[in-house]
PDB file of all heavy atoms in Angstrom:
ATOM      1  N   GLY M   1     100.984 106.571 106.189  1.00  0.00           N
ATOM      2  CA  GLY M   1      99.701 105.889 105.997  1.00  0.00           C
ATOM      3  C   GLY M   1      99.731 104.445 106.423  1.00  0.00           C
ATOM      4  O   GLY M   1      98.699 103.866 106.796  1.00  0.00           O
ATOM      5  N   MET M   2     100.922 103.830 106.392  1.00  0.00           N
ATOM      6  CA  MET M   2     101.031 102.436 106.781  1.00  0.00           C
ATOM      7  C   MET M   2     100.724 102.204 108.261  1.00  0.00           C
ATOM      8  O   MET M   2     100.419 101.092 108.678  1.00  0.00           O
ATOM      9  CB  MET M   2     102.438 101.918 106.457  1.00  0.00           C
ATOM     10  CG  MET M   2     102.712 101.809 104.967  1.00  0.00           C
ATOM     11  SD  MET M   2     104.431 101.342 104.612  1.00  0.00           S
ATOM     12  CE  MET M   2     104.452  99.674 105.238  1.00  0.00           C
ATOM     13  N   MET M   3     100.793 103.269 109.056  1.00  0.00           N
ATOM     14  CA  MET M   3     100.489 103.129 110.481  1.00  0.00           C
ATOM     15  C   MET M   3      98.993 103.079 110.743  1.00  0.00           C
ATOM     16  O   MET M   3      98.552 102.702 111.834  1.00  0.00           O
ATOM     17  CB  MET M   3     101.086 104.309 111.260  1.00  0.00           C
ATOM     18  CG  MET M   3     102.585 104.415 111.187  1.00  0.00           C
ATOM     19  SD  MET M   3     103.214 105.752 112.236  1.00  0.00           S
ATOM     20  CE  MET M   3     102.470 107.188 111.457  1.00  0.00           C
ATOM     21  N   ILE M   4      98.209 103.456 109.760  1.00  0.00           N
ATOM     22  CA  ILE M   4      96.785 103.668 110.004  1.00  0.00           C
ATOM     23  C   ILE M   4      96.065 102.385 110.386  1.00  0.00           C
ATOM     24  O   ILE M   4      95.175 102.388 111.246  1.00  0.00           O
ATOM     25  CB  ILE M   4      96.132 104.323 108.765  1.00  0.00           C
ATOM     26  CG1 ILE M   4      96.614 105.767 108.645  1.00  0.00           C
ATOM     27  CG2 ILE M   4      94.610 104.289 108.853  1.00  0.00           C
ATOM     28  CD1 ILE M   4      96.157 106.479 107.408  1.00  0.00           C
ATOM     29  N   SER M   5      96.431 101.259 109.770  1.00  0.00           N
ATOM     30  CA  SER M   5      95.729 100.003 110.077  1.00  0.00           C
ATOM     31  C   SER M   5      95.914  99.588 111.530  1.00  0.00           C
ATOM     32  O   SER M   5      95.125  98.803 112.062  1.00  0.00           O
ATOM     33  CB  SER M   5      96.226  98.875 109.160  1.00  0.00           C
ATOM     34  OG  SER M   5      97.566  98.538 109.448  1.00  0.00           O
ATOM     35  N   ILE M   6      96.949 100.115 112.182  1.00  0.00           N
ATOM     36  CA  ILE M   6      97.160  99.823 113.604  1.00  0.00           C
ATOM     37  C   ILE M   6      96.372 100.797 114.468  1.00  0.00           C
ATOM     38  O   ILE M   6      95.590 100.422 115.327  1.00  0.00           O
ATOM     39  CB  ILE M   6      98.656  99.891 113.954  1.00  0.00           C
ATOM     40  CG1 ILE M   6      99.439  98.867 113.122  1.00  0.00           C
ATOM     41  CG2 ILE M   6      98.865  99.659 115.432  1.00  0.00           C
ATOM     42  CD1 ILE M   6     100.937  98.961 113.297  1.00  0.00           C
ATOM     43  N   PHE M   7      96.541 102.077 114.196  1.00  0.00           N
ATOM     44  CA  PHE M   7      95.961 103.099 115.065  1.00  0.00           C
ATOM     45  C   PHE M   7      94.444 103.211 114.926  1.00  0.00           C
ATOM     46  O   PHE M   7      93.777 103.651 115.864  1.00  0.00           O
ATOM     47  CB  PHE M   7      96.600 104.458 114.781  1.00  0.00           C
ATOM     48  CG  PHE M   7      98.028 104.548 115.220  1.00  0.00           C
ATOM     49  CD1 PHE M   7      98.873 105.496 114.687  1.00  0.00           C
ATOM     50  CD2 PHE M   7      98.543 103.684 116.173  1.00  0.00           C
ATOM     51  CE1 PHE M   7     100.197 105.595 115.087  1.00  0.00           C
ATOM     52  CE2 PHE M   7      99.860 103.759 116.591  1.00  0.00           C
ATOM     53  CZ  PHE M   7     100.686 104.715 116.039  1.00  0.00           C
ATOM     54  N   CYS M   8      93.892 102.865 113.774  1.00  0.00           N
ATOM     55  CA  CYS M   8      92.450 103.031 113.589  1.00  0.00           C
ATOM     56  C   CYS M   8      91.664 101.786 114.003  1.00  0.00           C
ATOM     57  O   CYS M   8      90.446 101.735 113.829  1.00  0.00           O
ATOM     58  CB  CYS M   8      92.129 103.370 112.139  1.00  0.00           C
ATOM     59  SG  CYS M   8      92.381 101.984 111.009  1.00  0.00           S
ATOM     60  N   LEU M   9      92.344 100.775 114.546  1.00  0.00           N
ATOM     61  CA  LEU M   9      91.685  99.576 115.077  1.00  0.00           C
ATOM     62  C   LEU M   9      90.935  98.778 114.019  1.00  0.00           C
ATOM     63  O   LEU M   9      89.964  98.097 114.336  1.00  0.00           O
ATOM     64  CB  LEU M   9      90.712  99.959 116.209  1.00  0.00           C
ATOM     65  CG  LEU M   9      91.370 100.499 117.479  1.00  0.00           C
ATOM     66  CD1 LEU M   9      90.304 100.998 118.440  1.00  0.00           C
ATOM     67  CD2 LEU M   9      92.201  99.432 118.164  1.00  0.00           C
ATOM     68  N   LEU M  10      91.387  98.849 112.784  1.00  0.00           N
ATOM     69  CA  LEU M  10      90.739  98.064 111.741  1.00  0.00           C
ATOM     70  C   LEU M  10      90.787  96.579 112.054  1.00  0.00           C
ATOM     71  O   LEU M  10      89.804  95.856 111.902  1.00  0.00           O
ATOM     72  CB  LEU M  10      91.416  98.342 110.386  1.00  0.00           C
ATOM     73  CG  LEU M  10      90.932  97.501 109.201  1.00  0.00           C
ATOM     74  CD1 LEU M  10      89.447  97.723 108.941  1.00  0.00           C
ATOM     75  CD2 LEU M  10      91.746  97.832 107.946  1.00  0.00           C
ATOM     76  N   PHE M  11      91.940  96.083 112.526  1.00  0.00           N
ATOM     77  CA  PHE M  11      92.065  94.650 112.819  1.00  0.00           C
ATOM     78  C   PHE M  11      91.116  94.231 113.936  1.00  0.00           C
ATOM     79  O   PHE M  11      90.586  93.117 113.934  1.00  0.00           O
ATOM     80  CB  PHE M  11      93.522  94.299 113.170  1.00  0.00           C
ATOM     81  CG  PHE M  11      94.043  94.968 114.408  1.00  0.00           C
ATOM     82  CD1 PHE M  11      93.886  94.383 115.645  1.00  0.00           C
ATOM     83  CD2 PHE M  11      94.708  96.175 114.325  1.00  0.00           C
ATOM     84  CE1 PHE M  11      94.372  94.986 116.793  1.00  0.00           C
ATOM     85  CE2 PHE M  11      95.202  96.792 115.464  1.00  0.00           C
ATOM     86  CZ  PHE M  11      95.020  96.197 116.700  1.00  0.00           C
ATOM     87  N   THR M  12      90.872  95.141 114.903  1.00  0.00           N
ATOM     88  CA  THR M  12      89.936  94.812 115.976  1.00  0.00           C
ATOM     89  C   THR M  12      88.520  94.722 115.445  1.00  0.00           C
ATOM     90  O   THR M  12      87.742  93.838 115.837  1.00  0.00           O
ATOM     91  CB  THR M  12      90.003  95.879 117.086  1.00  0.00           C
ATOM     92  OG1 THR M  12      91.361  96.000 117.532  1.00  0.00           O
ATOM     93  CG2 THR M  12      89.121  95.501 118.256  1.00  0.00           C
ATOM     94  N   MET M  13      88.159  95.627 114.543  1.00  0.00           N
ATOM     95  CA  MET M  13      86.810  95.586 113.970  1.00  0.00           C
ATOM     96  C   MET M  13      86.601  94.319 113.139  1.00  0.00           C
ATOM     97  O   MET M  13      85.518  93.743 113.131  1.00  0.00           O
ATOM     98  CB  MET M  13      86.572  96.822 113.103  1.00  0.00           C
ATOM     99  CG  MET M  13      86.555  98.135 113.880  1.00  0.00           C
ATOM    100  SD  MET M  13      85.312  98.208 115.194  1.00  0.00           S
ATOM    101  CE  MET M  13      86.317  97.844 116.653  1.00  0.00           C
ATOM    102  N   VAL M  14      87.638  93.888 112.455  1.00  0.00           N
ATOM    103  CA  VAL M  14      87.549  92.622 111.706  1.00  0.00           C
ATOM    104  C   VAL M  14      87.297  91.472 112.671  1.00  0.00           C
ATOM    105  O   VAL M  14      86.424  90.624 112.434  1.00  0.00           O
ATOM    106  CB  VAL M  14      88.842  92.386 110.897  1.00  0.00           C
ATOM    107  CG1 VAL M  14      88.866  90.963 110.324  1.00  0.00           C
ATOM    108  CG2 VAL M  14      88.954  93.398 109.776  1.00  0.00           C
ATOM    109  N   PHE M  15      88.008  91.440 113.765  1.00  0.00           N
ATOM    110  CA  PHE M  15      87.852  90.376 114.755  1.00  0.00           C
ATOM    111  C   PHE M  15      86.468  90.415 115.406  1.00  0.00           C
ATOM    112  O   PHE M  15      85.872  89.384 115.692  1.00  0.00           O
ATOM    113  CB  PHE M  15      88.952  90.508 115.805  1.00  0.00           C
ATOM    114  CG  PHE M  15      88.789  89.609 116.992  1.00  0.00           C
ATOM    115  CD1 PHE M  15      88.827  88.227 116.845  1.00  0.00           C
ATOM    116  CD2 PHE M  15      88.593  90.126 118.263  1.00  0.00           C
ATOM    117  CE1 PHE M  15      88.680  87.386 117.944  1.00  0.00           C
ATOM    118  CE2 PHE M  15      88.458  89.305 119.363  1.00  0.00           C
ATOM    119  CZ  PHE M  15      88.488  87.926 119.199  1.00  0.00           C
ATOM    120  N   PHE M  16      85.924  91.611 115.630  1.00  0.00           N
ATOM    121  CA  PHE M  16      84.620  91.735 116.276  1.00  0.00           C
ATOM    122  C   PHE M  16      83.486  91.178 115.420  1.00  0.00           C
ATOM    123  O   PHE M  16      82.447  90.782 115.941  1.00  0.00           O
ATOM    124  CB  PHE M  16      84.330  93.192 116.619  1.00  0.00           C
ATOM    125  CG  PHE M  16      84.979  93.647 117.906  1.00  0.00           C
ATOM    126  CD1 PHE M  16      85.902  92.850 118.572  1.00  0.00           C
ATOM    127  CD2 PHE M  16      84.669  94.872 118.457  1.00  0.00           C
ATOM    128  CE1 PHE M  16      86.500  93.258 119.748  1.00  0.00           C
ATOM    129  CE2 PHE M  16      85.253  95.301 119.641  1.00  0.00           C
ATOM    130  CZ  PHE M  16      86.170  94.494 120.284  1.00  0.00           C
ATOM    131  N   GLY M  17      83.657  91.171 114.107  1.00  0.00           N
ATOM    132  CA  GLY M  17      82.679  90.517 113.247  1.00  0.00           C
ATOM    133  C   GLY M  17      81.440  91.315 112.914  1.00  0.00           C
ATOM    134  O   GLY M  17      80.460  90.772 112.398  1.00  0.00           O
ATOM    135  N   MET M  18      81.467  92.620 113.151  1.00  0.00           N
ATOM    136  CA  MET M  18      80.312  93.467 112.875  1.00  0.00           C
ATOM    137  C   MET M  18      80.472  94.190 111.534  1.00  0.00           C
ATOM    138  O   MET M  18      81.433  93.965 110.795  1.00  0.00           O
ATOM    139  CB  MET M  18      80.122  94.458 114.022  1.00  0.00           C
ATOM    140  CG  MET M  18      79.694  93.799 115.324  1.00  0.00           C
ATOM    141  SD  MET M  18      78.004  93.167 115.243  1.00  0.00           S
ATOM    142  CE  MET M  18      77.089  94.709 115.295  1.00  0.00           C
ATOM    143  N   GLU M  19      79.525  95.099 111.256  1.00  0.00           N
ATOM    144  CA  GLU M  19      79.523  95.810 109.977  1.00  0.00           C
ATOM    145  C   GLU M  19      80.536  96.938 109.930  1.00  0.00           C
ATOM    146  O   GLU M  19      80.731  97.561 108.882  1.00  0.00           O
ATOM    147  CB  GLU M  19      78.122  96.371 109.679  1.00  0.00           C
ATOM    148  CG  GLU M  19      77.708  97.550 110.528  1.00  0.00           C
ATOM    149  CD  GLU M  19      77.035  97.140 111.825  1.00  0.00           C
ATOM    150  OE1 GLU M  19      77.098  95.938 112.176  1.00  0.00           O
ATOM    151  OE2 GLU M  19      76.437  98.001 112.491  1.00  0.00           O
ATOM    152  N   GLN M  20      81.215  97.236 111.040  1.00  0.00           N
ATOM    153  CA  GLN M  20      82.133  98.366 111.078  1.00  0.00           C
ATOM    154  C   GLN M  20      83.292  98.228 110.079  1.00  0.00           C
ATOM    155  O   GLN M  20      83.776  99.233 109.553  1.00  0.00           O
ATOM    156  CB  GLN M  20      82.692  98.561 112.494  1.00  0.00           C
ATOM    157  CG  GLN M  20      81.817  99.395 113.397  1.00  0.00           C
ATOM    158  CD  GLN M  20      80.586  98.651 113.881  1.00  0.00           C
ATOM    159  OE1 GLN M  20      80.651  97.447 114.103  1.00  0.00           O
ATOM    160  NE2 GLN M  20      79.490  99.354 114.058  1.00  0.00           N
ATOM    161  N   SER M  21      83.734  97.007 109.811  1.00  0.00           N
ATOM    162  CA  SER M  21      84.816  96.822 108.829  1.00  0.00           C
ATOM    163  C   SER M  21      84.368  97.261 107.438  1.00  0.00           C
ATOM    164  O   SER M  21      85.112  97.936 106.712  1.00  0.00           O
ATOM    165  CB  SER M  21      85.260  95.360 108.795  1.00  0.00           C
ATOM    166  OG  SER M  21      85.764  94.953 110.035  1.00  0.00           O
ATOM    167  N   LEU M  22      83.149  96.877 107.062  1.00  0.00           N
ATOM    168  CA  LEU M  22      82.609  97.319 105.776  1.00  0.00           C
ATOM    169  C   LEU M  22      82.410  98.825 105.755  1.00  0.00           C
ATOM    170  O   LEU M  22      82.632  99.476 104.728  1.00  0.00           O
ATOM    171  CB  LEU M  22      81.280  96.611 105.498  1.00  0.00           C
ATOM    172  CG  LEU M  22      81.358  95.196 104.926  1.00  0.00           C
ATOM    173  CD1 LEU M  22      79.974  94.556 104.918  1.00  0.00           C
ATOM    174  CD2 LEU M  22      81.934  95.218 103.519  1.00  0.00           C
ATOM    175  N   HIS M  23      81.976  99.382 106.878  1.00  0.00           N
ATOM    176  CA  HIS M  23      81.791 100.832 106.962  1.00  0.00           C
ATOM    177  C   HIS M  23      83.119 101.545 106.755  1.00  0.00           C
ATOM    178  O   HIS M  23      83.184 102.575 106.058  1.00  0.00           O
ATOM    179  CB  HIS M  23      81.193 101.184 108.332  1.00  0.00           C
ATOM    180  CG  HIS M  23      80.585 102.548 108.382  1.00  0.00           C
ATOM    181  ND1 HIS M  23      80.042 103.073 109.529  1.00  0.00           N
ATOM    182  CD2 HIS M  23      80.443 103.513 107.434  1.00  0.00           C
ATOM    183  CE1 HIS M  23      79.577 104.281 109.287  1.00  0.00           C
ATOM    184  NE2 HIS M  23      79.827 104.572 108.015  1.00  0.00           N
ATOM    185  N   MET M  24      84.178 101.019 107.337  1.00  0.00           N
ATOM    186  CA  MET M  24      85.502 101.625 107.175  1.00  0.00           C
ATOM    187  C   MET M  24      85.980 101.499 105.734  1.00  0.00           C
ATOM    188  O   MET M  24      86.554 102.438 105.171  1.00  0.00           O
ATOM    189  CB  MET M  24      86.479 100.978 108.153  1.00  0.00           C
ATOM    190  CG  MET M  24      86.128 101.256 109.614  1.00  0.00           C
ATOM    191  SD  MET M  24      87.057 100.269 110.815  1.00  0.00           S
ATOM    192  CE  MET M  24      88.533 101.273 110.982  1.00  0.00           C
ATOM    193  N   LEU M  25      85.752 100.351 105.118  1.00  0.00           N
ATOM    194  CA  LEU M  25      86.132 100.162 103.715  1.00  0.00           C
ATOM    195  C   LEU M  25      85.412 101.172 102.823  1.00  0.00           C
ATOM    196  O   LEU M  25      86.028 101.843 101.981  1.00  0.00           O
ATOM    197  CB  LEU M  25      85.804  98.734 103.278  1.00  0.00           C
ATOM    198  CG  LEU M  25      85.902  98.449 101.774  1.00  0.00           C
ATOM    199  CD1 LEU M  25      87.320  98.681 101.267  1.00  0.00           C
ATOM    200  CD2 LEU M  25      85.444  97.020 101.472  1.00  0.00           C
ATOM    201  N   LEU M  26      84.104 101.287 102.983  1.00  0.00           N
ATOM    202  CA  LEU M  26      83.322 102.185 102.135  1.00  0.00           C
ATOM    203  C   LEU M  26      83.685 103.645 102.397  1.00  0.00           C
ATOM    204  O   LEU M  26      83.642 104.476 101.478  1.00  0.00           O
ATOM    205  CB  LEU M  26      81.827 101.952 102.374  1.00  0.00           C
ATOM    206  CG  LEU M  26      81.302 100.620 101.836  1.00  0.00           C
ATOM    207  CD1 LEU M  26      79.907 100.323 102.372  1.00  0.00           C
ATOM    208  CD2 LEU M  26      81.278 100.627 100.299  1.00  0.00           C
ATOM    209  N   SER M  27      84.062 103.971 103.621  1.00  0.00           N
ATOM    210  CA  SER M  27      84.482 105.336 103.936  1.00  0.00           C
ATOM    211  C   SER M  27      85.782 105.688 103.215  1.00  0.00           C
ATOM    212  O   SER M  27      85.922 106.792 102.660  1.00  0.00           O
ATOM    213  CB  SER M  27      84.667 105.495 105.452  1.00  0.00           C
ATOM    214  OG  SER M  27      83.449 105.285 106.137  1.00  0.00           O
ATOM    215  N   VAL M  28      86.736 104.748 103.210  1.00  0.00           N
ATOM    216  CA  VAL M  28      87.993 104.985 102.487  1.00  0.00           C
ATOM    217  C   VAL M  28      87.725 105.109 100.990  1.00  0.00           C
ATOM    218  O   VAL M  28      88.262 105.995 100.314  1.00  0.00           O
ATOM    219  CB  VAL M  28      89.001 103.858 102.765  1.00  0.00           C
ATOM    220  CG1 VAL M  28      90.261 104.050 101.914  1.00  0.00           C
ATOM    221  CG2 VAL M  28      89.374 103.820 104.230  1.00  0.00           C
ATOM    222  N   LEU M  29      86.882 104.227 100.455  1.00  0.00           N
ATOM    223  CA  LEU M  29      86.537 104.306  99.032  1.00  0.00           C
ATOM    224  C   LEU M  29      85.853 105.626  98.699  1.00  0.00           C
ATOM    225  O   LEU M  29      86.086 106.206  97.635  1.00  0.00           O
ATOM    226  CB  LEU M  29      85.631 103.132  98.650  1.00  0.00           C
ATOM    227  CG  LEU M  29      86.300 101.766  98.520  1.00  0.00           C
ATOM    228  CD1 LEU M  29      85.260 100.668  98.349  1.00  0.00           C
ATOM    229  CD2 LEU M  29      87.274 101.755  97.337  1.00  0.00           C
ATOM    230  N   ALA M  30      84.991 106.093  99.609  1.00  0.00           N
ATOM    231  CA  ALA M  30      84.278 107.346  99.360  1.00  0.00           C
ATOM    232  C   ALA M  30      85.248 108.515  99.243  1.00  0.00           C
ATOM    233  O   ALA M  30      85.167 109.319  98.298  1.00  0.00           O
ATOM    234  CB  ALA M  30      83.257 107.605 100.471  1.00  0.00           C
ATOM    235  N   ILE M  31      86.196 108.620 100.200  1.00  0.00           N
ATOM    236  CA  ILE M  31      87.122 109.757 100.109  1.00  0.00           C
ATOM    237  C   ILE M  31      88.108 109.573  98.954  1.00  0.00           C
ATOM    238  O   ILE M  31      88.564 110.559  98.359  1.00  0.00           O
ATOM    239  CB  ILE M  31      87.855 110.006 101.446  1.00  0.00           C
ATOM    240  CG1 ILE M  31      88.733 108.834 101.847  1.00  0.00           C
ATOM    241  CG2 ILE M  31      86.876 110.336 102.551  1.00  0.00           C
ATOM    242  CD1 ILE M  31      89.556 109.106 103.106  1.00  0.00           C
ATOM    243  N   TYR M  32      88.406 108.323  98.599  1.00  0.00           N
ATOM    244  CA  TYR M  32      89.260 108.077  97.429  1.00  0.00           C
ATOM    245  C   TYR M  32      88.598 108.612  96.164  1.00  0.00           C
ATOM    246  O   TYR M  32      89.207 109.350  95.383  1.00  0.00           O
ATOM    247  CB  TYR M  32      89.552 106.588  97.278  1.00  0.00           C
ATOM    248  CG  TYR M  32      90.428 106.252  96.080  1.00  0.00           C
ATOM    249  CD1 TYR M  32      91.801 106.111  96.216  1.00  0.00           C
ATOM    250  CD2 TYR M  32      89.874 106.093  94.809  1.00  0.00           C
ATOM    251  CE1 TYR M  32      92.609 105.833  95.125  1.00  0.00           C
ATOM    252  CE2 TYR M  32      90.672 105.820  93.704  1.00  0.00           C
ATOM    253  CZ  TYR M  32      92.039 105.683  93.867  1.00  0.00           C
ATOM    254  OH  TYR M  32      92.838 105.418  92.779  1.00  0.00           O
ATOM    255  N   PHE M  33      87.333 108.252  95.958  1.00  0.00           N
ATOM    256  CA  PHE M  33      86.657 108.654  94.720  1.00  0.00           C
ATOM    257  C   PHE M  33      86.253 110.127  94.741  1.00  0.00           C
ATOM    258  O   PHE M  33      86.124 110.744  93.680  1.00  0.00           O
ATOM    259  CB  PHE M  33      85.463 107.744  94.453  1.00  0.00           C
ATOM    260  CG  PHE M  33      85.854 106.378  93.967  1.00  0.00           C
ATOM    261  CD1 PHE M  33      85.559 105.251  94.713  1.00  0.00           C
ATOM    262  CD2 PHE M  33      86.553 106.219  92.782  1.00  0.00           C
ATOM    263  CE1 PHE M  33      85.936 103.985  94.279  1.00  0.00           C
ATOM    264  CE2 PHE M  33      86.939 104.959  92.336  1.00  0.00           C
ATOM    265  CZ  PHE M  33      86.633 103.834  93.085  1.00  0.00           C
ATOM    266  N   ILE M  34      86.036 110.706  95.929  1.00  0.00           N
ATOM    267  CA  ILE M  34      85.836 112.157  95.986  1.00  0.00           C
ATOM    268  C   ILE M  34      87.105 112.857  95.514  1.00  0.00           C
ATOM    269  O   ILE M  34      87.058 113.800  94.704  1.00  0.00           O
ATOM    270  CB  ILE M  34      85.457 112.607  97.408  1.00  0.00           C
ATOM    271  CG1 ILE M  34      84.043 112.142  97.765  1.00  0.00           C
ATOM    272  CG2 ILE M  34      85.533 114.134  97.526  1.00  0.00           C
ATOM    273  CD1 ILE M  34      83.660 112.393  99.210  1.00  0.00           C
ATOM    274  N   LYS M  35      88.237 112.400  96.018  1.00  0.00           N
ATOM    275  CA  LYS M  35      89.524 112.974  95.612  1.00  0.00           C
ATOM    276  C   LYS M  35      89.746 112.809  94.113  1.00  0.00           C
ATOM    277  O   LYS M  35      90.185 113.738  93.421  1.00  0.00           O
ATOM    278  CB  LYS M  35      90.646 112.277  96.385  1.00  0.00           C
ATOM    279  CG  LYS M  35      92.018 112.899  96.220  1.00  0.00           C
ATOM    280  CD  LYS M  35      92.149 114.150  97.043  1.00  0.00           C
ATOM    281  CE  LYS M  35      93.570 114.686  97.009  1.00  0.00           C
ATOM    282  NZ  LYS M  35      93.704 115.932  97.793  1.00  0.00           N
ATOM    283  N   GLN M  36      89.443 111.631  93.611  1.00  0.00           N
ATOM    284  CA  GLN M  36      89.620 111.353  92.182  1.00  0.00           C
ATOM    285  C   GLN M  36      88.716 112.242  91.330  1.00  0.00           C
ATOM    286  O   GLN M  36      89.138 112.775  90.302  1.00  0.00           O
ATOM    287  CB  GLN M  36      89.330 109.880  91.892  1.00  0.00           C
ATOM    288  CG  GLN M  36      89.627 109.448  90.472  1.00  0.00           C
ATOM    289  CD  GLN M  36      89.287 107.994  90.246  1.00  0.00           C
ATOM    290  OE1 GLN M  36      88.111 107.623  90.291  1.00  0.00           O
ATOM    291  NE2 GLN M  36      90.304 107.161  90.039  1.00  0.00           N
ATOM    292  N   ASN M  37      87.463 112.406  91.758  1.00  0.00           N
ATOM    293  CA  ASN M  37      86.537 113.243  90.995  1.00  0.00           C
ATOM    294  C   ASN M  37      86.922 114.709  91.030  1.00  0.00           C
ATOM    295  O   ASN M  37      86.778 115.417  90.028  1.00  0.00           O
ATOM    296  CB  ASN M  37      85.114 113.055  91.530  1.00  0.00           C
ATOM    297  CG  ASN M  37      84.416 111.851  90.926  1.00  0.00           C
ATOM    298  OD1 ASN M  37      83.760 111.944  89.895  1.00  0.00           O
ATOM    299  ND2 ASN M  37      84.568 110.692  91.572  1.00  0.00           N
ATOM    300  N   GLU M  38      87.408 115.178  92.176  1.00  0.00           N
ATOM    301  CA  GLU M  38      87.864 116.566  92.240  1.00  0.00           C
ATOM    302  C   GLU M  38      89.065 116.794  91.328  1.00  0.00           C
ATOM    303  O   GLU M  38      89.211 117.848  90.713  1.00  0.00           O
ATOM    304  CB  GLU M  38      88.233 116.927  93.676  1.00  0.00           C
ATOM    305  CG  GLU M  38      87.024 117.100  94.594  1.00  0.00           C
ATOM    306  CD  GLU M  38      87.425 117.627  95.955  1.00  0.00           C
ATOM    307  OE1 GLU M  38      88.513 117.256  96.445  1.00  0.00           O
ATOM    308  OE2 GLU M  38      86.649 118.394  96.525  1.00  0.00           O
TER     309      GLU M  38
END
């Protein structure tokens, strides 16, 4: 999992300054809480 921040271009989205970083954060939170609820 530690490789993901490199391969998924999260750092590039942060640099680009758009909403994609927030979208990625909320997507991870969504699958985290789906897993937790299940």
Side-chain angles (χ1 to χ4, degrees):
M2 291 175 68
M3 298 185 297
I4 289 174
S5 68
I6 300 174
F7 290 159
C8 71
L9 293 173
L10 175 61
F11 63 89
T12 305
M13 294 302 100
V14 170
F15 171 63
F16 278 9
M18 292 290 287
E19 72 272 12
Q20 274 75 34
S21 298
L22 278 171
H23 197 182
M24 295 169 85
L25 169 61
L26 290 167
S27 298
V28 175
L29 285 171
I31 63 175
Y32 180 95
F33 286 117
I34 290 173
K35 188 77 173 179
Q36 186 181 67
N37 276 270
E38 287 187 325

